[in-house]
Amino acid sequence: MSARDLISGEAELGSDEEDESFDEETGEVRRKANGVNGTNGHFEDSSEEEDDDDDEEAAAAVRKDFIVEDDEEPEERERRRRERKKRRREEREEEEAGLDEEDLDLIGEANPEFQRRAPSEPKLKRLKRGHKEDREIHRSKGVDDIFDSDEEEDDGRNQRQPHRPDHRSLADEFADFIEEDFDDRDGEAEDDDADVARPTGRSYTQIKEAAGLDESTLEDMKEAFGDGTDYDWALMQEREADADQQLVDSEDPEAAAKGLELKDVFEPSQLAERLLTDADNEIRVADVPERFQVARRPFKDLVLTPEQFKEEGIWVSDFIWPSKGLDPMFKDPFRKAVAKVLEFMVSNEYEVPFIFLNRKDYLIHAENTAMTPDFDSHGASEPKSRLVKFLNQDDLWKIFSLDLKFRALIEKRNALSQTYDNLRGEANFQDKVFEDMLPAAATMEELQDVQDYLHFEHASKLADLAALKTSSMSNGTHRRPGSSKAFFERIRNSNVYSLVRAFGITADAFAQNVSKEGRRQFAEDAPERPDDLADSETVMGSGEYSTGAQCLKAAKTMFAEEILLSPRMRKVFRKMYFDDGIIDCIRTEKGLRRIDDNHPYYEIKYLRNQQIVDFINRPDLFLKMNRAEEEGLVEIKVRLQNAGSFKTRLYHEIETDNTSDIADAWNRERREVLDMAFLKLNKTMARSVKENMKTQCEDVVAHRCREEFFKRIDQAPWKPRGMEAGTTPTVLAISNGGNTFGREAICWAFVDFDGRVLENGKVVDLFLGDPDRGQTDGADVEVLVDLVKRRSPDVVGVSGWSADTRKLCKTLEEIIERKDLRVKWKEDDDHERTDKLEIVIVNDEVARLYQTSYRAAMDHPGFAPLTKYCVGLAKYLQSPLKEYAALGPDIISLSFDPAQSYVPKDKIFKQLETALVDVVNLVGIEINEAVSTQYTANLLPYICGLGPRKAQQLIKVINLNGGQVTTRGDLVGDPDQQRLGAVGPHVFANCSSFLYIEFDTAEQDSDYLDNTRVHPEDYELGRKMAADALELDEEDIEAEMNENGQGAVVRKLVNEGQQEKVNDLVLEEYAEQLETKFFSRKRATLETIRAELQAPYEELRSSFALLSSVEIFTMFTGETLDSLREGMIVPVSIKKVGEDYIEARMDCGIEGTVTANEISNRPDVPPRSLFQQYQTVQAKITYLNPKHMAANFSLREEQLRIPERRDFDRLPNEWDESQEREDKESMKEKNDVSGRTQRVIKHPLFKPFNAAQAQEYLGSQARGDVVIRPSSKGVDHLAVTWKVSDNIYQHINVLELNKTSQFGVAGTLRVDGKYNYTDFDELIVHHVKAMAKKVDEMMLHEKYQNGSKTET
């Protein structure tokens, strides 16, 4: 069996109905021996019991009716086909003339007086249960076999029974399940076939004759059941279709025998989701790392030549070199290192983790430097080796990505080269510009320039070549349709083109002058003035244009287009733009209205004079500009910083140095041509620069997400006191979620070190009493204390999504302190110590997803969501890596960078996947644990060489081999031991050192090196080092190995506890010998072996990282320091009104205080007369403490009138302040003209919008949402706009009565002149929400139709 045999290519049906059958008459169960029926060990089938005469007759029928000779005419073939159909219909009618057994039984039940004639011979039938062993031997059956009963018959049987009809009735559906028991007598098989193939219908005349029924009985039956001919037309069509299908099957038996595949049963999207497509199966089988196959799929047919592979090494190193900051003297060694990495990836098919671990020596450069001579010693100074690290793991991923880009580059270059060769073969010409620029194109943009040039210069030749290819493919029948030539082609093929040549310099020569390539080429003036030459017969003779001015204009347009499409000129302009390009952000009219001071795009609204190169350090800024441009709010304009001086230089390069009227005239025309080309080039380059910058900025942000994600997963489990790094702790996780502390439930869960939830529950009252005041502890304090003492957790994890979680943390700290809850641990000397139980605030981003996930529902179906959340917190403390890996594709929903929303998700996911690959291979996986535990198996797809498909295949094969792996060698299989190979040699080379097997001293076959990061290719080095550490000679080594196997020496080193002896080995000399004798660089590998011999798979991840105060602030409140800051005006809810203070709470849960001097401008008025409890007001944040989640507010009106002004870090001349002032004055004038007075209403729903802005704002909101806004009717009016439905809004005029101040809100709000409300909250609830409720009831009514009047 091969690995391909393990792939489910067909849909299989498992049956729990084992090898048994039933006697139809007696009902007794019959057992089958060895999966077959009868005593001969063969399948029973009455169709195989025909005599030799029947076989000869059937064969003759096949030759007569089914074999069509090649020399038959179509008319003759059709005639014979009709005869066969007619003959089959006659045979069916004859078969249907008699009643079958079931019909007679039914008649007997309906008419008790009817006497059924006794059967001539007993027929014993039994219904055979379907079973996979009853099918054709050595054949895999699929879902299709359930439906196609005829596929059970072999080819020989089909030939013996060509006359047997394929009935489509209920009886025929079970035809192949009915088996006959009969005596061995001649002729009985034909009777059995007649019994099995039941007829599908009978006429009443036939029933009457066979059953002897009277006319009245027949009439009753006819009235009840019909005459049986209602569907004869359908049966006839089906029979004819069956006859046609039999004819097709006889001509193509392989197609007839082909079963349904998975793609025939499931939708393509379902197969793709489950990785079961044909392409997925190819990836499973191919002995190539899965990530390589997926990434290189677009280029799987591309094979790089040795010259191209050498070019790739230089191309990739030139991309990476500028970012390394190395000394120029290392450039050549650096290129060699990059070329070697590419060889590992392309030729050897090694993935990044393998190269980084097992080929690390090629990523480091050893520089020999002379030591300062020691004058006291007479010996010469010895050189000292200095190691320079060329490439890190991040660089390896860049090389992998650049390899894909280079393949795309080569593929397009090859296509262009092939097109050019085809053109030369047909037209016999040479284009030096194309031949020079194609090999020099180093980017896709430059290749596109070359392609544009080719299609412009040789458009007619390409059209002729395409027409010729189409003609050859259609056997000469295709005729090229006549079409008018393009404008520039007409000029090129006319006399006007001589006027283009008269400019005295070609576009490419001009571009060479600009780029300073070679000697300068001077323009030559024509002997005539441009207008005279345009009026000459030479130019006008073609008759294309009526005047010389038109000819000259066409010639200048043509020359400008040649300059525009010159690859060399575009290359010069592109470099100029990236070096000296400037970007201005210009707001549009829509952006003027939409982008206010608090809008996220405000920082780019008036941004000017931004250097293009600076955006690499601020990619979020450019991506924000790009998104705003897509929304129509701004326009990004790209220009050259010194465009004027650059154009002057271009004039000099295209003009002639001659001094004459003719020369001046031609120079004027050349400048006009250059002006036309310059304008077009600017537009083209601006568009190219924006696209290129967008791609680069997206890459930078995606890489930042990778770096942030790497930090989160590069965490070891929280380390218990006295334990080694990597030890899994026992955790008590507690959370109040979003509940109010002290009033709502607090859930907890205790999770053991193996991930099992041993106990969970809820508490509410954790109030700590005060004995001095006679206050007792809350009812649940003792419950929590008893839990801690009983379970002895290593750590307490706390988190939540409300600011009240901070109160929970403080309360738990006080309980631990007062009740002296401690954790016990032992030092190296086994002396027992105790420490106070530690509380850790846990990052809950994974737990929030876990609590509502399918995984949590399967793991803990009876738990409350908040309890599942606690389980997620505990598991995060035990292994952040496993929790992140278990998210799968949902990992993209986490936030890693503020600008990641501007980047495509697939680009970010690819970067996140590389981080997972790095850390998973750093940690390694115990393969047997992965096979038995899905939680660990989630890491397998990230192992080097594997992927989701190969990980599934690996587990499947291991389970087939017994479910246990003893040595790493078991993964490649062993035919002698009938052990299947889970991976191929190439994949094994990649993954083997990252899949380890725990060393068992009691198991003879267990190899210590299988439990280390040492690759199997280096096992001999490890054994040699162990032997040298034990000072064993060759005889001792041989004796030890003969007695205890290949791993005996290392086993001896470990069993005797002498691993530290490897530190005495001099590895430098050993590494030099390996490089000298075997040309293998293994210095770093030897260091890895030495470390692994002492501590196999030592924990190399960083320690568990505690959250900072800013991260805790964001997690508990959902706010950042950018979204919530001092100076902002926010809605607050008043909790308590005191004599000289007010306590308030923001929506995010942060509580704060309003001091007496910040309540109002009237100190003589008590606060209780101005504000009341639970009132919502607008307040300004005057102080914010993120660590303690506390704030101070101001309610003073003069403070609220001062809008917050954000300060951005800008250089001079980067902000258009004059435009900003002009826009604000313009908006103010518009408000004044419309009578609009800007007011500040202390309500969270108030917005300074007009009617259009309110509708635009509510467009994305839910039905029933409200905006309170100023009114144009005067200072005593306000407007309320609410969303009735999509694109339907109502504007309510609110009249304010009994106003005490011009800008304050009146005590009475009147709507429609008759409805009075005391405040806006009452108005919204009793007026707007009441109408919204009626709208909902109307839209939910069964007679409501959502559409226009014409549609309904």
Side-chain angles (χ1 to χ4, degrees):
M1 180 183 290
S2 65
R4 185 180 293 274
D5 298 326
L6 301 171
I7 297 169
S8 300
E10 295 182 348
E12 296 182 357
L13 179 70
S15 174
D16 56 356
E17 301 180 59
E18 298 299 332
D19 302 350
E20 60 184 29
S21 59
F22 297 87
D23 190 297
E24 190 177 51
E25 304 236 351
T26 64
E28 296 178 354
V29 178
R30 296 183 178 179
R31 293 288 176 180
K32 294 181 290 184
N34 300 325
V36 297
N37 296 327
T39 59
N40 297 329
H42 299 289
F43 290 100
E44 294 188 26
D45 196 326
S46 59
S47 63
E48 295 182 358
E49 301 295 334
E50 298 183 5
D51 54 20
D52 296 338
D53 295 338
D54 293 335
D55 292 342
E56 294 176 1
E57 181 181 353
V62 170
R63 289 192 298 269
K64 177 180 179 182
D65 294 337
F66 288 96
I67 300 177
V68 180
E69 299 297 338
D70 295 336
D71 56 353
E72 285 186 345
E73 295 296 331
E75 294 80 3
E76 178 66 19
R77 190 177 305 170
E78 181 63 23
R79 184 186 62 80
R80 297 184 61 181
R81 178 173 168 272
R82 288 196 298 269
E83 291 180 355
R84 284 196 298 271
K85 288 185 178 179
K86 181 179 179 181
R87 186 164 55 252
R88 287 181 185 134
R89 284 198 299 270
E90 293 174 352
E91 291 175 355
R92 291 192 192 102
E93 292 173 357
E94 292 177 1
E95 289 180 354
E96 294 170 357
L99 292 173
D100 60 12
E101 300 290 337
E102 294 177 1
D103 291 337
L104 295 173
D105 289 339
L106 289 173
I107 295 172
E109 293 176 1
N111 186 4
E113 298 179 359
F114 170 71
Q115 296 295 326
R116 174 180 172 182
R117 64 181 177 87
S120 58
E121 296 179 7
K123 300 287 185 179
L124 299 178
K125 307 171 186 176
R126 65 169 176 245
L127 183 65
K128 181 176 65 177
R129 288 179 177 268
H131 190 273
K132 62 182 180 180
E133 293 182 0
D134 298 336
R135 303 166 186 160
E136 197 170 336
I137 299 176
H138 301 302
R139 178 183 171 197
S140 177
K141 300 291 287 182
V143 172
D144 54 315
D145 301 314
I146 300 173
F147 309 104
D148 288 337
S149 59
D150 292 338
E151 290 185 7
E152 293 290 304
E153 302 175 359
D154 57 17
D155 294 340
R157 192 184 314 162
N158 290 336
Q159 291 179 357
R160 289 193 298 270
Q161 293 180 326
H163 62 281
R164 181 171 178 174
D166 183 15
H167 300 290
R168 301 294 183 184
S169 63
L170 180 61
D172 292 313
E173 291 187 18
F174 295 96
D176 291 336
F177 291 94
I178 304 296
E179 290 193 350
E180 309 275 347
D181 286 342
F182 49 82
D183 297 330
D184 295 335
R185 286 176 293 182
D186 296 338
E188 207 166 21
E190 296 180 1
D191 295 336
D192 294 337
D193 286 343
D195 289 337
V196 173
R198 299 299 181 192
T200 58
R202 303 288 184 268
S203 67
Y204 280 93
T205 304
Q206 295 167 345
I207 294 176
K208 177 182 176 182
E209 294 175 354
L213 300 178
D214 55 16
E215 291 292 340
S216 61
T217 304
L218 286 174
E219 286 299 328
D220 293 339
M221 293 176 62
K222 183 175 181 179
E223 184 177 354
F225 302 106
D227 59 3
T229 61
D230 294 342
Y231 299 98
D232 281 354
W233 60 274
L235 294 174
M236 184 60 68
Q237 290 181 359
E238 188 172 3
R239 289 166 183 168
E240 291 179 359
D242 292 340
D244 293 342
Q245 185 62 41
Q246 288 181 9
L247 178 62
V248 173
D249 292 348
S250 66
E251 295 175 352
D252 188 6
E254 294 183 0
K258 184 178 181 181
L260 283 176
E261 297 181 354
L262 289 174
K263 61 185 178 182
D264 300 320
V265 180
F266 298 100
E267 292 292 333
S269 59
Q270 294 176 307
L271 293 178
E273 182 182 356
R274 292 169 173 79
L275 304 178
L276 293 175
T277 64
D278 293 339
D280 294 322
N281 291 336
E282 291 177 4
I283 292 175
R284 283 188 181 90
V285 174
D287 187 22
V288 179
E290 182 169 330
R291 271 174 287 276
F292 280 3
Q293 295 187 62
V294 174
R296 296 172 180 170
R297 186 180 300 172
F299 321 109
K300 62 180 180 180
D301 297 328
L302 177 66
V303 179
L304 299 179
T305 64
E307 293 77 12
Q308 291 172 341
F309 187 76
K310 184 177 180 181
E311 178 190 357
E312 181 181 9
I314 300 174
W315 186 85
V316 172
S317 61
D318 288 345
F319 265 94
I320 301 179
W321 172 258
S323 63
K324 297 304 294 182
L326 297 172
D327 194 296
M329 63 180 293
F330 295 125
K331 189 164 187 178
D332 287 339
F334 180 80
R335 281 186 172 177
K336 292 180 181 179
V338 171
K340 194 64 179 178
V341 170
L342 285 171
E343 180 184 342
F344 292 146
M345 289 184 178
V346 178
S347 302
N348 303 122
E349 295 176 337
Y350 292 149
E351 271 207 276
V352 169
F354 175 90
I355 298 172
F356 188 72
L357 177 63
N358 300 298
R359 297 294 184 268
K360 191 175 294 184
D361 296 87
Y362 296 91
L363 312 180
I364 302 172
H365 176 69
E367 179 193 11
N368 293 324
T369 58
M371 296 177 60
T372 304
D374 187 359
F375 295 102
D376 295 335
S377 63
H378 300 284
S381 61
E382 296 183 358
K384 181 181 178 181
S385 179
R386 182 169 70 95
L387 297 179
V388 180
K389 190 173 183 179
F390 279 169
L391 300 169
N392 54 33
Q393 201 161 5
D394 195 34
D395 294 327
L396 297 183
W397 285 113
K398 289 181 182 178
I399 293 175
F400 175 64
S401 177
L402 289 171
D403 172 61
L404 299 178
K405 293 182 179 180
F406 184 79
R407 288 171 181 267
L409 188 77
I410 291 299
E411 187 175 56
K412 186 166 186 175
R413 183 196 295 178
N414 291 345
L416 285 175
S417 180
Q418 182 64 41
T419 301
Y420 179 69
D421 292 341
N422 293 339
L423 280 177
R424 291 192 60 188
E426 295 295 334
N428 191 19
F429 75 98
Q430 185 176 8
D431 190 324
K432 191 174 184 304
V433 175
F434 180 87
E435 294 177 358
D436 290 344
M437 297 304 299
L438 183 64
T443 63
M444 292 299 290
E445 292 87 354
E446 294 177 3
L447 266 184
Q448 187 62 44
D449 294 343
V450 176
Q451 179 177 326
D452 294 343
Y453 166 82
L454 182 67
H455 283 263
F456 172 73
E457 288 291 334
H458 308 288
S460 60
K461 298 183 182 68
L462 287 169
D464 294 338
L465 182 64
L468 182 63
K469 181 182 294 185
T470 306
S471 177
S472 62
M473 292 176 61
S474 57
N475 298 323
T477 60
H478 176 79
R479 295 182 61 186
R480 181 183 176 187
S483 60
S484 59
K485 293 185 178 180
F487 171 72
F488 296 110
E489 278 301 300
R490 292 202 308 269
I491 296 177
R492 185 179 285 112
N493 296 327
S494 67
N495 294 342
V496 178
Y497 197 69
S498 62
L499 195 57
V500 177
R501 292 194 296 268
F503 280 93
I505 189 171
T506 64
D508 186 65
F510 170 49
Q512 290 184 40
N513 291 342
V514 176
S515 61
K516 305 298 182 183
E517 296 181 16
R519 297 178 58 184
R520 180 183 175 185
Q521 303 187 39
F522 296 92
E524 298 181 1
D525 294 327
E528 299 179 70
R529 291 175 58 88
D531 48 358
D532 294 339
L533 183 59
D535 290 332
S536 66
E537 184 65 23
T538 304
V539 176
M540 295 287 295
S542 61
E544 290 284 339
Y545 299 96
S546 58
T547 65
Q550 293 179 350
C551 293
L552 184 58
K553 182 179 180 181
K556 290 192 292 186
T557 304
M558 181 70 185
F559 192 26
E561 196 72 14
E562 289 181 344
I563 295 174
L564 170 66
L565 291 168
S566 168
R568 208 182 306 270
M569 182 60 72
R570 286 191 173 187
K571 187 175 183 179
V572 172
F573 264 73
R574 187 173 285 110
K575 185 177 185 304
M576 285 293 298
Y577 265 87
F578 276 102
D579 291 343
D580 300 323
I582 296 293
I583 289 181
D584 296 326
C585 190
I586 310 299
R587 58 103 186 119
T588 62
E589 286 299 321
K590 182 180 179 181
L592 173 63
R593 300 188 306 270
R594 287 281 303 276
I595 304 177
D596 57 14
D597 293 355
N598 295 320
H599 199 281
Y601 295 158
Y602 185 75
E603 65 173 325
I604 64 172
K605 187 176 182 180
Y606 302 104
L607 202 60
R608 304 287 190 271
N609 301 320
Q610 295 295 303
Q611 294 277 350
I612 290 179
V613 293
D614 293 339
F615 281 112
I616 300 301
N617 298 324
R618 288 290 311 275
D620 54 319
L621 197 62
F622 183 83
L623 292 176
K624 187 178 292 186
M625 293 166 59
N626 186 76
R627 180 64 60 83
E629 186 178 44
E630 292 175 355
E631 296 175 5
L633 302 179
V634 300
E635 180 184 358
I636 302 175
K637 291 189 175 181
V638 185
R639 57 183 174 86
L640 283 174
Q641 188 171 10
N642 301 311
S645 59
F646 179 56
K647 185 185 286 190
T648 302
R649 184 165 73 88
L650 294 181
Y651 286 155
H652 176 69
E653 300 296 346
I654 199 174
E655 292 177 349
T656 181
D657 295 336
N658 298 333
T659 55
S660 64
D661 292 341
I662 295 177
D664 292 342
W666 277 108
N667 283 338
R668 283 194 298 270
E669 300 299 336
R670 293 186 184 106
R671 283 193 292 269
E672 289 184 15
V673 168
L674 183 57
D675 290 340
M676 295 169 59
F678 194 85
L679 183 62
K680 293 182 178 180
L681 278 167
N682 281 335
K683 292 181 179 179
T684 302
M685 289 301 108
R687 183 170 58 252
S688 175
V689 165
K690 287 198 290 186
E691 293 175 356
N692 193 288
M693 285 298 302
K694 178 184 177 184
T695 302
Q696 290 190 36
C697 291
E698 286 177 351
D699 292 341
V700 173
V701 172
H703 188 262
R704 288 183 180 179
C705 292
R706 166 191 151 81
E707 291 178 337
E708 176 62 27
F709 183 51
F710 186 89
K711 294 177 183 177
R712 299 184 192 182
I713 59 178
D714 184 29
Q715 299 183 75
W718 189 87
K719 180 179 174 298
R721 291 289 182 89
M723 298 292 182
E724 294 181 356
T727 303
T728 304
T730 57
V731 182
L732 174 62
I734 305 178
S735 176
N736 65 317
N739 298 335
T740 303
F741 178 72
R743 289 188 296 177
E744 296 177 280
I746 300 170
C747 292
W748 58 268
F750 177 79
V751 181
D752 204 4
F753 66 91
D754 57 0
R756 293 181 299 123
V757 181
L758 301 184
E759 198 172 349
N760 70 91
K762 294 181 181 180
V763 293
V764 177
D765 188 6
L766 293 180
F767 173 77
L768 274 175
D770 188 351
D772 297 337
R773 297 182 180 181
Q775 296 176 342
T776 60
D777 294 338
D780 294 322
V781 172
E782 189 61 30
V783 174
L784 184 63
V785 172
D786 177 69
L787 173 67
V788 172
K789 291 182 177 180
R790 179 162 38 86
R791 290 297 184 182
S792 300
D794 295 321
V795 63
V796 176
V798 184
S799 195
W801 54 91
S802 70
D804 277 12
T805 308
R806 169 64 73 180
K807 299 179 182 178
L808 173 62
C809 293
K810 291 182 179 180
T811 301
L812 291 175
E813 290 174 355
E814 293 177 2
I815 292 175
I816 291 174
E817 183 69 29
R818 288 194 190 181
K819 304 300 180 181
D820 193 26
L821 301 179
R822 310 181 72 82
V823 60
K824 298 179 181 179
W825 57 281
K826 292 184 179 180
E827 290 185 334
D828 296 337
D829 57 0
D830 289 340
H831 181 70
E832 187 175 275
R833 291 181 176 272
T834 62
D835 275 318
K836 186 175 67 173
L837 183 62
E838 189 172 349
I839 296 177
V840 176
I841 298 178
V842 187
N843 186 343
D844 73 335
E845 59 181 0
V846 181
R848 292 195 193 192
L849 296 176
Y850 176 78
Q851 65 176 332
T852 57
S853 66
Y854 176 80
R855 180 166 65 100
M858 293 297 99
D859 293 346
H860 313 288
F863 286 11
L866 188 55
T867 306
K868 296 175 185 176
Y869 173 83
C870 293
V871 174
L873 296 176
K875 289 190 174 183
Y876 187 91
L877 278 168
Q878 293 179 336
S879 178
L881 175 61
K882 287 185 177 180
E883 281 299 290
Y884 280 112
L887 290 179
D890 292 337
I891 198 172
I892 197 65
S893 62
L894 303 180
S895 177
F896 304 101
D897 189 274
Q900 79 178 70
S901 60
Y902 304 129
V903 183
K905 291 185 178 181
D906 59 338
K907 182 175 287 189
I908 293 181
F909 184 77
K910 289 179 181 178
Q911 288 289 330
L912 301 181
E913 185 181 25
T914 62
L916 273 171
V917 170
D918 287 346
V919 179
V920 169
N921 287 278
L922 176 70
V923 177
I925 297 178
E926 208 289 312
I927 184 60
N928 290 312
E929 181 184 347
V931 173
S932 60
T933 308
Q934 180 61 40
Y935 190 46
T936 305
N938 292 330
L939 302 176
L940 268 182
Y942 306 105
I943 284 292
C944 179
L946 302 183
R949 302 163 187 83
K950 288 188 179 293
Q952 294 174 358
Q953 185 79 349
L954 179 71
I955 294 178
K956 183 176 182 179
V957 174
I958 292 176
N959 284 324
L960 288 174
N961 288 336
Q964 189 76 12
V965 179
T966 306
T967 66
R968 282 173 171 165
D970 292 346
L971 297 176
V972 294
D974 188 351
D976 296 336
Q977 298 182 7
Q978 296 183 348
R979 184 179 294 274
L980 300 174
V983 294
H986 279 92
V987 176
F988 176 79
N990 277 276
C991 71
S992 55
S993 58
F994 307 104
L995 300 175
Y996 63 89
I997 302 151
E998 289 189 1
F999 178 64
D1000 186 0
T1001 56
E1003 181 65 38
Q1004 184 65 25
D1005 295 334
S1006 182
D1007 193 333
Y1008 179 84
L1009 293 178
D1010 284 339
N1011 191 33
T1012 67
R1013 292 184 174 90
V1014 181
H1015 196 277
E1017 69 178 10
D1018 297 321
Y1019 277 10
E1020 289 301 322
L1021 297 180
R1023 292 161 184 163
K1024 179 69 168 60
M1025 290 175 62
D1028 291 346
L1030 292 173
E1031 299 180 355
L1032 300 179
D1033 55 23
E1034 295 294 335
E1035 295 180 356
D1036 296 335
I1037 296 173
E1038 184 178 358
E1040 191 72 30
M1041 292 175 63
N1042 290 337
E1043 182 178 356
N1044 298 315
Q1046 292 289 328
V1049 177
V1050 178
R1051 181 189 291 265
K1052 179 178 177 66
L1053 178 74
V1054 174
N1055 291 341
E1056 295 178 1
Q1058 303 186 51
Q1059 294 99 314
E1060 293 186 358
K1061 286 189 175 182
V1062 296
N1063 292 325
D1064 300 332
L1065 300 177
V1066 182
L1067 301 183
E1068 289 79 2
E1069 297 179 359
Y1070 196 18
E1072 291 176 2
Q1073 294 178 11
L1074 290 173
E1075 188 169 2
T1076 302
K1077 294 181 180 180
F1078 304 103
F1079 306 101
S1080 179
R1081 298 167 63 176
K1082 292 287 186 180
R1083 180 65 182 84
T1085 302
L1086 294 175
E1087 288 290 349
T1088 299
I1089 296 174
R1090 174 156 60 185
E1092 292 298 314
L1093 287 175
Q1094 299 179 76
Y1097 259 102
E1098 182 183 6
E1099 181 60 69
L1100 299 180
R1101 286 174 291 181
S1102 303
S1103 300
F1104 189 88
L1106 300 179
L1107 296 177
S1108 66
S1109 59
V1110 175
E1111 291 172 330
I1112 295 173
F1113 170 78
T1114 300
M1115 184 173 66
F1116 286 172
T1117 66
E1119 303 283 354
T1120 65
L1121 296 183
D1122 187 60
S1123 64
L1124 191 68
R1125 55 193 179 274
E1126 295 179 2
M1128 290 186 66
I1129 299 175
V1130 296
V1132 297
S1133 176
I1134 296 177
K1135 292 182 57 180
K1136 182 179 180 181
V1137 180
E1139 293 292 336
D1140 56 354
Y1141 71 95
I1142 293 176
E1143 293 181 0
R1145 178 188 179 99
M1146 289 187 281
D1147 290 339
C1148 63
I1150 296 179
E1151 297 180 355
T1153 304
V1154 184
T1155 58
N1157 58 345
E1158 294 294 339
I1159 294 177
S1160 71
N1161 297 331
R1162 302 171 59 184
D1164 55 324
V1165 179
R1168 288 191 176 92
S1169 64
L1170 298 175
F1171 303 98
Q1172 53 186 327
Q1173 191 177 13
Y1174 307 123
Q1175 183 181 358
T1176 300
V1177 297
Q1178 295 288 106
K1180 190 168 190 175
I1181 302 175
T1182 58
Y1183 170 76
L1184 180 65
N1185 188 330
K1187 183 176 181 179
H1188 297 94
M1189 297 185 188
N1192 289 340
F1193 306 111
S1194 175
L1195 301 178
R1196 295 164 61 94
E1197 289 191 5
E1198 65 270 17
Q1199 288 284 351
L1200 298 178
R1201 288 174 185 164
I1202 303 175
E1204 179 205 14
R1205 183 175 179 87
R1206 298 181 60 185
D1207 294 327
F1208 298 101
D1209 185 16
R1210 305 189 189 96
L1211 296 176
N1213 300 323
E1214 286 189 348
W1215 191 258
D1216 195 342
E1217 296 180 355
S1218 61
Q1219 184 67 50
E1220 183 182 24
R1221 286 194 302 270
E1222 182 180 338
D1223 288 346
K1224 288 187 177 181
E1225 292 175 359
S1226 175
M1227 293 296 294
K1228 182 179 180 181
E1229 291 176 359
K1230 290 181 180 179
N1231 292 336
D1232 292 341
V1233 170
S1234 61
R1236 185 73 44 83
T1237 302
Q1238 294 293 337
R1239 299 175 58 184
V1240 177
I1241 305 301
K1242 290 182 281 188
H1243 195 280
L1245 297 179
F1246 177 80
K1247 302 290 181 183
F1249 292 160
N1250 57 26
Q1253 291 174 324
Q1255 292 182 186
E1256 188 175 6
Y1257 172 80
L1258 292 172
S1260 60
Q1261 306 297 318
R1263 190 169 63 241
D1265 282 0
V1266 182
V1267 164
I1268 304 171
R1269 58 183 180 83
S1271 174
S1272 61
K1273 296 182 180 297
V1275 295
D1276 58 346
H1277 287 262
L1278 286 170
V1280 174
T1281 301
W1282 69 285
K1283 183 176 181 179
V1284 182
S1285 185
D1286 293 338
N1287 301 319
I1288 302 176
Y1289 307 92
Q1290 184 185 22
H1291 303 283
I1292 302 174
N1293 178 38
V1294 180
L1295 176 63
E1296 300 178 271
L1297 302 177
N1298 304 322
K1299 289 176 65 71
T1300 59
S1301 64
Q1302 181 178 2
F1303 294 99
V1305 180
T1308 302
L1309 304 176
R1310 177 170 294 178
V1311 177
D1312 294 340
K1314 53 183 177 179
Y1315 303 110
N1316 295 334
Y1317 304 98
T1318 57
D1319 55 27
F1320 275 109
D1321 291 331
E1322 183 183 3
L1323 186 150
I1324 291 172
V1325 171
H1326 296 291
H1327 191 88
V1328 178
K1329 294 300 181 183
M1331 288 191 294
K1333 182 179 180 181
K1334 294 298 182 182
V1335 171
D1336 290 339
E1337 293 175 356
M1338 177 187 69
M1339 297 182 70
L1340 293 174
H1341 195 274
E1342 60 180 4
K1343 293 186 178 181
Y1344 174 79
Q1345 296 185 22
N1346 189 13
S1348 63
K1349 183 182 293 185
T1350 57
E1351 293 173 344
T1352 56

